[in-house]
Amino acid sequence: METENSKSLTQPTQLISYSKAKELSANFVAQKSGKHVTSAGQEDTNAVWFSLEELEKFVEYIKTEGNNQGFTVDGVRIYLGVYSNNETVGRAGYTTMFMTATGRQANSATPLSGGATSQDLTTVNPLNYGSMGNPPKMQYGI
């Protein structure tokens, strides 16, 4: 029975198991570890952390801002990037992950390109500046 404080749970359709996530992380470390080194000679980032609060604010922001600009936001695309060498101390040369809204024009039944995939909404600012967490984790599940 659902109480006033509880919600029914609808699980995402693209969940993976702990063991699959651990396998993917181990594969990354085995195949990429030591091969990706920053210009400062440090092993590169392989995980980025965002607080739940920041993610919730981002989802609300992209829905609102996208709607205000005449778009229907239908997802988030995550990109890998590398900070330039003149970035702030502690980030120069490191890999980062940033998220951008995707969608289509609100009055269109198809994505912006008319293709099968949603397009990046480049007029809605992406989210960046996550951290490696505290303490940083270099491999999932370890």
Side-chain angles (χ1 to χ4, degrees), residues 1-141:
M1 180 175 178
E2 211 172 296
T3 66
E4 188 176 311
N5 293 330
S6 70
K7 294 181 179 179
S8 63
L9 176 66
T10 303
Q11 289 190 355
T13 59
Q14 295 170 302
L15 293 176
I16 61 173
S17 68
Y18 166 79
S19 61
K20 182 65 174 180
K22 193 170 177 179
E23 172 194 336
L24 294 173
S25 182
N27 288 345
F28 181 89
V29 169
Q31 294 175 28
K32 307 292 185 184
S33 185
K35 295 181 177 107
H36 289 91
V37 177
T38 68
S39 58
Q42 300 293 319
E43 188 165 346
D44 204 357
T45 303
N46 70 349
V48 177
W49 179 87
F50 292 93
S51 71
L52 186 57
E53 178 183 5
E54 193 67 9
L55 290 172
E56 289 171 338
K57 283 195 263 184
F58 180 64
V59 169
E60 183 63 28
Y61 162 75
I62 63 175
K63 286 180 173 180
T64 302
E65 189 63 23
N67 184 58
N68 290 343
Q69 294 182 28
F71 297 111
T72 299
V73 175
D74 63 6
V76 172
R77 185 167 285 118
I78 300 173
Y79 283 93
L80 293 173
V82 175
Y83 291 111
S84 66
N85 287 332
N86 62 359
E87 270 297 325
T88 58
V89 175
R91 291 197 170 122
Y94 278 95
T95 297
T96 187
M97 294 178 195
F98 61 94
M99 298 175 230
T100 190
T102 63
R104 57 183 164 75
Q105 292 185 335
N107 58 357
S108 173
T110 58
L112 294 177
S113 68
T117 60
S118 296
Q119 296 296 300
D120 295 346
L121 302 183
T122 59
T123 58
V124 177
N125 291 331
L127 180 70
N128 191 12
Y129 301 116
S131 74
M132 288 184 62
N134 190 9
K137 296 199 61 152
M138 295 309 291
Q139 188 170 337
Y140 180 76

